[in-house]
Amino acid sequence: MAGNGMHTLGRVKVCDLAPSEGLPSDSYKLAVTTLSQSLAQYSAAIIQFPASDGALLRSGLDSARLYFHQRDSYPATNNMIHTNDSQEWCKTSGYYADPQSWQESYEYRPGLTHTEPTNSMEFPPAGLPDIFALLGKAARVVLDAIGFYLNLRSCPFTEILDNFPLRNGEISSSVLSVCCYARPSFHGAQHHTLTEDEQLILYADHDHQLDKSLISFVKSDKAGFHIRDMHGQWILVDVDLGPQEAVVYPGLALYQATAGYVSPAVHRTDLNSLQGSIEGRFSLAFKLMPKSMTNLSCSEMRAAGHGVEAQFQLPVSVDDFMQRSHSNDELFNRQTLQSFSVPQSQDGSMKQLKKRRKSDSRCKPLPPSKRLRLEAQRVLKERVQEIADKKGIKLRFCNLKECENNHNVMNSPCANIRREIGWPHGVPFVHPHDLPNKAKIGFLETYEPGWSETHDMELSLSETAQGNQHVTNCNQSFTQ
């Protein structure tokens, strides 16, 4: 991509990204190419909306300015401090304030009604339902365009998204935030003048953020939103936004769902430029989030033939993912963390993708034993869980380390599972940690016939046959 690098963020019309039946048009392929290359190089792109939608975004920013200024007439006790409780990630709504970062926000979440602590009458910013619908639709279009480039099936992420539209009684996982930064009259920031040390803190490299969203949009009235590019340089991405343009960037949830093929954007907001401002900085931020009662898996990536590394093999509950602390340093220092790169044509992109897959597999292939262990662990959990569910048993599966450390201990997690599900005495427990490679292949063949034909494990057929017989005997003893 170095030879075809972009000098600035790619600009794409949202109407050009809208899919249609039949073969993809040239304008669609060009839009996907521009979007993908911009995301690869800058972790962001600029989406252009029609003029009518641009007017809606501008009116939303004007309404935000009026809303936060009118809050001066409310007591300071009304300011709710945002605790960033990860367990409440899908329940936030209404006004929040963070005096330390000089930030205020009003979060609009369809299906959830927020009441001020004092039950006072307060008018929220205007036009939020329309802006939410506009940016939500655009985010889904961008998500599908990324799926098209990755050669995934149509609408590959539908199962992890909210209903469209929401059904009765449902609460949106996605959220629209109306934000205000460094407002001079903000009750939590009595001193608006920044000292030199405070400027460094507000603009330091360690003060970066990663959204846990799939796709995020930001539209601001003043420049100050920085994103780190592929070379580690901070880029001011909203410096020349037009009235009907917004910045789009991927989040951690998309990084997880695509097995690391789409890198999350690292961003920060510069407050130093607001010193002496009489208003502050206002923005609209939309986050397309996965719904809470689902899992982030890489099944779509596997189905498209993409290699999936060990850390993405097992599905992750969305609630667990949102509550988990993600190490930024781990992401930044990971040598294999690369966004997808896009050549000039879609046909060429498929060749480039296959070539990159082969190159990646040659650089760091997973050992056959490790691939077998992960696959056998997945199948075991599914099949043994079915048995446990029928008997009403609640299981706790061990992790690899504690299983190996307590391999022969009577009260180990594996021993407890053996006892609770009634595994026959004297019959080896068919657990992936306990089995040699040939028996793991037999285990997988027993539960998923034809598995070895689609996976090149570089093991002899004679060993596989022996493993098949070993697991078959175990299964027959268990069913008896």
Side-chain angles (χ1 to χ4, degrees):
M1 192 179 66
N4 297 324
M6 306 178 68
H7 298 293
T8 60
L9 269 70
R11 277 179 159 78
V12 181
K13 294 182 178 179
V14 68
C15 58
D16 290 339
L17 288 174
S20 59
E21 293 290 340
L23 295 174
S25 63
D26 292 338
S27 60
Y28 180 78
K29 290 189 288 186
L30 178 60
V32 170
T33 298
T34 304
L35 171 70
S36 303
Q37 188 172 355
S38 185
L39 292 180
Q41 187 169 345
Y42 297 104
S43 293
I46 296 176
I47 299 298
Q48 298 176 327
F49 293 91
S52 58
D53 295 335
L56 177 61
L57 295 175
R58 292 194 302 274
S59 66
L61 291 173
D62 292 338
S63 177
R65 186 177 297 105
L66 177 62
Y67 168 77
F68 287 108
H69 283 314
Q70 78 171 4
R71 287 202 61 85
D72 293 337
S73 61
Y74 294 94
T77 54
N78 265 9
N79 294 350
M80 291 185 60
I81 305 301
H82 205 313
T83 61
N84 290 326
D85 186 356
S86 58
Q87 296 182 355
E88 302 295 322
W89 70 272
C90 58
K91 300 178 182 179
T92 57
S93 177
Y95 177 81
Y96 295 92
D98 186 354
Q100 291 185 349
S101 62
W102 292 15
Q103 179 179 354
E104 301 167 272
S105 65
Y106 184 92
E107 297 192 355
Y108 172 72
R109 191 181 300 274
L112 184 62
T113 302
H114 178 77
T115 304
E116 288 291 317
T118 59
N119 292 323
S120 60
M121 293 298 296
E122 180 180 5
F123 295 100
L128 297 187
D130 294 333
I131 298 174
F132 183 95
L134 170 66
L135 297 180
K137 183 178 180 180
R140 289 176 182 250
V141 167
V142 170
L143 198 60
D144 288 344
I146 294 174
F148 175 81
Y149 171 77
L150 292 174
N151 202 29
L152 308 182
R153 65 183 180 89
S154 300
C155 305
F157 304 101
T158 299
E159 294 183 358
I160 64 175
L161 294 175
D162 288 330
N163 283 322
F164 184 64
L166 293 171
R167 305 302 185 258
N168 291 333
E170 291 183 342
I171 297 176
S172 173
S173 298
S174 302
V175 63
L176 172 64
S177 299
V178 183
C179 304
C180 177
Y181 298 88
R183 182 166 61 93
S185 55
F186 176 33
H187 294 293
Q190 288 83 0
H191 304 287
H192 187 57
T193 302
L194 296 176
T195 65
E196 183 177 356
D197 292 338
E198 288 175 329
Q199 288 183 6
L200 294 176
I201 292 176
L202 292 173
Y203 197 69
D205 281 350
H206 67 266
D207 189 25
H208 49 239
Q209 300 177 9
L210 294 98
D211 291 356
K212 293 187 177 181
S213 61
L214 292 163
I215 294 293
S216 296
F217 271 93
V218 168
K219 173 66 175 177
S220 55
D221 67 336
K222 295 182 180 69
F225 190 68
H226 296 251
I227 288 182
R228 201 157 81 170
D229 67 6
M230 61 184 295
H231 303 295
Q233 301 296 320
W234 289 103
I235 306 298
L236 183 60
V237 295
D238 58 352
V239 65
D240 57 350
L241 281 186
Q244 56 201 57
E245 295 179 332
V247 177
V248 63
Y249 57 93
L252 276 170
L254 186 58
Y255 167 78
Q256 178 70 32
T258 59
Y261 278 74
V262 181
S263 297
V266 184
H267 60 85
R268 69 184 184 187
T269 301
D270 175 21
L271 302 184
N272 296 325
S273 60
L274 298 178
Q275 184 174 0
S277 173
I278 62 174
E279 288 187 338
R281 179 179 183 272
F282 302 92
S283 66
L284 304 172
F286 175 84
K287 296 179 182 179
L288 181 67
M289 307 291 291
K291 59 186 179 183
S292 60
M293 302 301 292
T294 188
N295 294 323
L296 295 174
S297 69
C298 301
S299 56
E300 295 291 342
M301 298 295 290
R302 292 193 193 92
H306 295 280
V308 177
E309 295 184 1
Q311 70 182 89
F312 302 105
Q313 290 285 347
L314 298 178
V316 179
S317 166
V318 170
D319 284 331
D320 291 343
F321 180 81
M322 295 300 169
Q323 297 176 37
R324 178 193 305 171
S325 59
H326 299 269
S327 173
N328 295 342
D329 293 335
E330 180 181 351
L331 289 174
F332 300 152
N333 296 330
R334 183 168 172 262
Q335 297 299 322
T336 56
L337 179 60
Q338 297 179 3
S339 289
F340 48 85
S341 57
V342 184
Q344 295 300 319
S345 65
Q346 185 66 18
D347 293 338
S349 67
M350 293 300 104
K351 296 179 181 178
Q352 179 85 359
L353 186 59
K354 292 178 181 179
K355 182 178 179 180
R356 197 186 74 126
R357 271 189 241 141
K358 292 180 180 179
S359 176
D360 290 345
S361 63
R362 287 195 300 266
C363 293
K364 193 177 179 181
L366 286 176
S369 59
K370 189 170 184 179
R371 292 164 59 191
L372 279 170
R373 174 183 290 170
L374 292 170
E375 188 69 10
Q377 175 77 349
R378 179 187 66 80
V379 176
L380 172 84
K381 285 190 175 183
E382 292 178 357
R383 301 302 183 265
V384 173
Q385 190 66 57
E386 291 177 3
I387 299 172
D389 290 342
K390 292 179 181 179
K391 295 190 175 186
I393 300 172
K394 185 176 180 180
L395 300 180
R396 183 182 78 85
F397 288 99
C398 65
N399 57 47
L400 176 60
K401 184 175 181 180
E402 69 178 337
C403 179
E404 291 179 342
N405 291 341
N406 302 282
H407 182 69
N408 296 317
V409 180
M410 293 300 295
N411 62 348
S412 68
C414 294
N416 292 335
I417 292 177
R418 292 183 177 94
R419 183 176 61 257
E420 290 180 353
I421 68 177
W423 196 265
H425 180 71
V427 177
F429 183 55
V430 186
H431 192 286
H433 309 330
D434 302 338
L435 298 176
N437 288 343
K438 61 182 181 181
K440 290 174 186 173
I441 293 182
F443 173 80
L444 292 167
E445 277 291 336
T446 300
Y447 287 115
E448 295 186 356
W451 185 90
S452 59
E453 295 180 1
T454 59
H455 296 74
D456 182 14
M457 292 292 107
E458 300 177 358
L459 295 175
S460 65
L461 294 177
S462 61
E463 289 184 342
T464 302
Q466 294 174 10
N468 286 340
Q469 185 63 39
H470 169 76
V471 179
T472 302
N473 294 338
C474 293
N475 290 329
Q476 290 175 352
S477 300
F478 178 76
T479 54
Q480 292 175 357

